[in-house]
Structures are given as C-alpha cells and as structure tokens.
Amino acid sequence: MATTETARLTEFSSGDLNDLCEATEAAIIDGGGFGWVKPPPREVLESYWRGVLLVPERDLFAARLDGVICGSVQLVRPSPSKESQAFAARLESHFLAPWARGHGLARAMVETVEEAARSGGFKLLHLDVRETQTAAIRHFDALGFVRWGTNPLYAKVRGRFIAGHYYYKELS
C-alpha cells in the first residue's frame, strides 16, 4: 500500500528539488502547469521553486507518494499594504503529477492549505483556474469552492484565448 503525506516545506532536503521539478514538468505536459504551457528549462524551474521559499507571504506545501514529492500548492497571504483584504488568502499553483493521482493527495493538499489559512486567522480563500482544467474545476467544486466569475480572456495558449474561472471558499 502506498504511503501519502502532505506537509509544509521550509527547505529542500536531498532530492526534493529534483522531485518537485519532475512533478511540475509532468503536470505542465498534462495541461495543469499553473501558467506554464510547456516545461521551462530545468534551471528556470529550480530558480522558481527556490524563490517560492524566499517570499515571506508564501507557504509551500508538498504532497508525497512513497516519500517522493509529486505535487504542491501554495498559500499566499496578502501583502501588508492590502489591509482591507487582510481576511483573505489565495490558494495558488495547485498541481499533482498524473502518476500520483487516485490517492487522495489533491484533496489532502487543499485541506492542508485550508487548515493553515484558518490557523493564520483567514476567513476566505480565493483561487482561479483555466476552463480547460476540467478535473481541477470538478475538484474545487466538490471541495465547496464557489465560482463567482469568469474572465473570457484569462489566458492565451497556443494563440487561442482561454477563459478562466474565479472561486472563493469561506473558512469556518
């Protein structure tokens, strides 16, 4: 039986950065690249993930399947200059490598972020997703997120505009 874990990362242990980059590349190729359409060079991915750990308003959570990082999600707190929106955080860059699906890790990552947001005093989570990411849309709908709007010009992929949906979830 596979072992699963979802936890906050504050540093990369041996092999973590490589695992995270490989999972990211697999997710991008599968169409869930949180902004990327094709995998960037490895050094770009490594710099991106190292940078995430340096941003004070970002918490990085990783999912592991049998000890290997296979996905991640970020909790993004508002900057201090957003005093009127200090009650709400964002869930960003949520993905799971295709080979790790079916173990409940996508749900576990969202639940972990929700708990971290509640613990941080947040009352609301925001997120957005491309309309082409139908599995993610079903996932967020099933987890109680409410779609409040759609931007028909959200992203441009291979020369074509793609709509994006905006969601929120009240945290009790």
Side-chain angles (χ1 to χ4, degrees):
M1 182 171 175
T3 60
T4 61
E5 176 191 11
T6 302
R8 183 171 177 234
L9 285 181
T10 57
E11 63 183 7
F12 295 117
S13 300
S14 176
D16 283 354
L17 185 57
N18 183 65
D19 291 349
L20 185 55
C21 288
E22 286 185 5
T24 304
E25 291 164 345
I28 293 168
I29 290 166
D30 193 53
F34 57 89
W36 277 302
V37 177
K38 60 183 179 182
R42 180 55 73 100
E43 57 273 8
V44 171
L45 278 180
E46 289 177 357
S47 292
Y48 171 78
W49 289 118
R50 283 189 190 104
V52 167
L53 293 183
L54 297 176
V55 178
E57 291 84 16
R58 288 185 182 264
D59 290 335
L60 177 62
F61 297 86
R64 294 179 190 269
L65 181 62
D66 292 332
V68 177
I69 292 179
C70 56
S72 76
V73 63
Q74 295 174 42
L75 174 64
V76 183
R77 293 176 301 284
S79 70
S81 66
K82 302 242 183 205
E83 184 180 3
S84 65
Q85 297 170 346
F87 65 93
R90 292 192 51 78
L91 184 152
E92 290 187 4
S93 307
H94 181 258
F95 76 91
L96 188 63
W99 53 265
R101 294 180 185 151
H103 298 278
L105 285 165
R107 173 181 285 273
M109 283 191 286
V110 172
E111 290 171 350
T112 300
V113 165
E114 287 178 6
E115 182 53 39
R118 274 188 210 92
S119 294
F122 294 102
K123 306 298 181 203
L124 195 74
L125 269 180
H126 292 280
L127 66 88
D128 51 81
V129 62
R130 290 190 305 240
E131 71 175 349
T132 54
Q133 295 173 299
T134 56
I137 290 168
R138 285 191 307 272
H139 172 66
F140 293 124
D141 287 342
L143 290 171
F145 284 84
V146 177
R147 184 187 306 180
W148 63 266
T150 299
N151 175 354
L153 304 175
Y154 175 80
K156 195 169 186 180
V157 177
R158 294 178 185 86
R160 186 177 140 248
F161 282 108
I162 295 174
H165 303 303
Y166 296 91
Y167 288 83
Y168 72 90
K169 183 174 184 178
E170 290 186 64
L171 303 173
S172 53

